[in-house]
Amino acid sequence: MAKMMVSPVQCQMGFPSNSLQGRPMITSKMWNSLLLNAQRPKTRRGISAFKVLAVKSENGVVSRLEDLLNLDTTPFTDKIIAEYIWIGGTGIDIRSKSRTISKPVEHASELPKWNYDGSSTGQAPGEDSEVILYPQAIFKDPFRGGNNILVICDSYTPSGEPIPTNKRHRAAQIFSDQKVIDEVPWYGIEQEYTLLQTNVQWPLGWPVGGYPGPQGPYYCAVGADKTFGRDISDAHYKACLYAGINISGTNGEVMPGQWEYQVGPSVGIEAGDHIWCSRYILERITEQAGVVLSLDPKPIEGDWNGAGCHTNYSTKTMREEGGYEVIKKAILNLSLRHMDHISAYGEGNERRLTGKHETANINTFSWGVANRGCSIRVGRDTEKQGKGYLEDRRPASNMDPYVVISLLAETTILWQPTLEAEARAAKELQLQV
């Protein structure tokens, strides 16, 4: 088993005791894997936080930097730190920077707009580089604790026009449509990701330049020879709960070094905000662990599972009596716009959607009950109860959640096919609607 390589300055998330005296010496042998511990100490105003420890592993001496990293500023000032987070020029990279806010806030609308150099993120030319950040959602900061916050933003030109990589703006328009509002769309998103060893860009736990045993023993497994990166997954889980993200679970995936977490059920555009913030937190944790996070939909070629972002979806009428017929009508609409969805469901998805490894072929739309080899899966409970939800298994792990969730709502609620196209698709899919 490949061991996680860590730098001389180690980072540990946990809750330190009030005193460092008497703490056992930490040796380099104890750093074979990242140690991430969480407790809930009683702090001022009942606020608990994930603490970050900077540790020198050579002789086990705790660095004085710890005192500053864990410094609680709330007894001395009302000012807080807001980490403004936005999506960069590739449409998948996450950027952020910090600013001081005069007092704690409860809503993103209380925060000022800000700007950044778009020429350095691939989002603006150098001669007109200013891009404006609009705060849209706030979360508690699990790294700084206290009243400090993470701020999800979208990006605009100085004249107020959304820049091309701002997919949230269009999603907000769709979710503000009264027909969509009335249907109260719910989303449950399954974010898969792969952990890579630094420098070699090879999955965590894999021998460098080699391969582990075939898939089979790794899914939801336990044991040092089958599970790699659990501390990162657990730390991320707890940090998301602390932040206020609606994370609902996590598990090890089929390919070793690959994990999944689920966010939802979330209503409307909130689902996109929560996924992006959860990705930011995961990036920060892997940064501290000295591990590389990959959202590539097929990180390893060959007989290995890819990484997706399955999206579970339902509307109010799908969840009510007779909802199964509404679900089948939604599936029919999705079939007619299959390639529109595929083109928006992530880069490199053609390497993943091959018809193998629990996927459908990218060029063919299909649906089935309990069938993980289909484009759209319907659960047995939904079929039995005659109401429930559908699972869109096509989105790649690097998809933009704002695009996916808004496109699902648009196709199934707002878009209407012609009667001829509807009849033809119903016949091909053997759907009676």
Side-chain angles (χ1 to χ4, degrees):
M1 178 184 70
K3 295 183 179 180
M4 184 187 301
M5 302 302 295
V6 289
S7 63
V9 178
Q10 308 286 348
C11 290
Q12 175 186 10
M13 275 181 91
F15 294 98
S17 60
N18 294 329
S19 172
L20 299 177
Q21 296 180 358
R23 181 174 292 177
M25 301 295 281
I26 302 175
T27 66
S28 59
K29 292 182 179 180
M30 298 174 66
W31 288 97
N32 288 337
S33 64
L34 183 67
L35 303 180
L36 298 168
N37 303 313
Q39 301 173 2
R40 282 192 171 274
K42 294 181 179 179
T43 63
R44 187 179 179 272
R45 301 180 184 175
I47 298 172
S48 62
F50 285 81
K51 298 294 185 179
V52 182
L53 308 183
V55 179
K56 292 182 179 178
S57 62
E58 298 89 2
N59 56 12
V61 178
V62 179
S63 170
R64 292 180 181 177
L65 185 60
E66 174 194 350
D67 294 335
L68 295 178
L69 287 170
N70 295 333
L71 190 64
D72 181 11
T73 62
T74 52
F76 310 103
T77 180
D78 287 332
K79 295 179 180 179
I80 65 168
I81 302 173
E83 191 75 20
Y84 278 48
I85 302 165
W86 72 95
I87 301 161
T90 67
I92 189 63
D93 59 312
I94 301 174
R95 309 294 180 114
S96 76
K97 61 177 183 174
S98 311
R99 71 176 297 168
T100 302
I101 304 298
S102 61
K103 62 180 181 179
V105 299
E106 297 293 332
H107 193 271
S109 61
E110 302 174 58
L111 293 167
K113 296 175 184 176
W114 205 8
N115 65 75
Y116 65 91
D117 173 15
S119 68
S120 296
T121 62
Q123 294 171 296
E127 64 273 13
D128 187 15
S129 63
E130 191 168 285
V131 180
I132 312 302
L133 292 171
Y134 287 30
Q136 299 291 357
I138 61 174
F139 299 86
K140 294 168 62 180
D141 188 339
F143 303 102
R144 295 187 174 109
N147 291 318
N148 301 303
I149 54 175
L150 306 177
V151 186
I152 296 297
C153 305
D154 57 356
S155 303
Y156 296 79
T157 66
S159 62
E161 294 296 319
I163 66 173
T165 52
N166 180 357
K167 307 303 182 184
R168 192 186 191 280
H169 177 79
R170 171 58 180 159
Q173 291 178 328
I174 292 174
F175 286 113
S176 64
D177 188 289
Q178 192 59 50
K179 290 182 180 179
V180 178
I181 293 172
D182 292 343
E183 282 289 353
V184 196
W186 287 2
Y187 299 90
I189 300 177
E190 306 170 20
Q191 176 69 70
E192 295 179 341
Y193 61 93
T194 307
L195 299 174
L196 304 178
Q197 301 169 56
T198 309
N199 301 324
V200 295
Q201 299 292 295
W202 203 238
L204 195 66
W206 291 36
V208 176
Y211 296 86
Q215 293 184 153
Y218 310 108
Y219 173 70
C220 295
V222 295
D225 59 337
K226 296 181 288 292
T227 302
F228 314 105
R230 186 186 300 278
D231 289 331
I232 291 172
S233 174
D234 280 356
H236 177 250
Y237 199 164
K238 292 176 181 177
C240 284
L241 287 173
Y242 176 90
I245 292 168
N246 193 21
I247 187 169
S248 51
T250 185
N251 59 268
E253 266 303 329
V254 176
M255 189 184 86
Q258 191 177 88
W259 291 82
E260 174 190 298
Y261 64 92
Q262 303 88 36
V263 172
S266 303
V267 179
I269 202 165
E270 171 187 288
D273 294 336
H274 282 232
I275 283 290
W276 275 116
C277 192
S278 72
R279 286 177 175 178
Y280 171 81
I281 291 172
L282 185 56
E283 287 274 18
R284 287 285 304 276
I285 290 173
T286 53
E287 171 189 316
Q288 291 182 0
V291 175
V292 176
L293 170 66
S294 172
L295 296 183
D296 191 301
K298 187 70 173 180
I300 303 296
E301 296 298 327
D303 195 18
W304 303 98
N305 275 34
C309 207
H310 304 154
T311 302
N312 300 279
Y313 169 68
S314 70
T315 63
K316 182 174 180 288
T317 50
M318 290 180 188
R319 299 186 294 267
E320 295 175 340
E321 294 300 323
Y324 194 40
E325 295 305 311
V326 182
I327 291 172
K328 290 195 290 185
K329 175 61 168 64
I331 292 172
L332 188 149
N333 280 21
L334 290 168
S335 74
L336 292 170
R337 300 189 78 191
H338 175 60
M339 295 313 298
D340 292 334
H341 282 252
I342 287 296
S343 65
Y345 273 13
E347 294 294 326
N349 213 10
E350 71 281 354
R351 293 182 285 116
R352 168 181 162 262
L353 296 180
T354 62
K356 300 178 180 179
H357 305 111
E358 301 180 270
T359 69
N361 187 281
I362 194 170
N363 296 311
T364 306
F365 181 89
S366 58
W367 80 284
V369 176
N371 187 343
R372 284 179 164 76
C374 286
S375 308
I376 304 294
R377 181 183 70 89
V378 174
R380 294 224 178 266
D381 284 346
T382 294
E383 180 187 44
K384 182 179 179 180
Q385 296 173 10
K387 58 182 178 180
Y389 67 97
L390 60 85
E391 177 192 33
D392 191 341
R393 298 181 58 82
R394 297 171 294 175
S397 52
N398 59 5
M399 62 82 154
D400 187 325
Y402 294 133
V403 173
V404 171
I405 62 175
S406 60
L407 194 53
L408 280 169
E410 182 182 53
T411 297
T412 62
I413 301 173
L414 301 178
W415 184 75
Q416 292 297 328
T418 64
L419 293 177
E420 294 79 8
E422 188 175 88
R424 183 175 65 254
K427 182 177 180 181
E428 291 174 356
L429 297 172
Q430 298 182 338
L431 277 170
Q432 300 296 322
V433 293

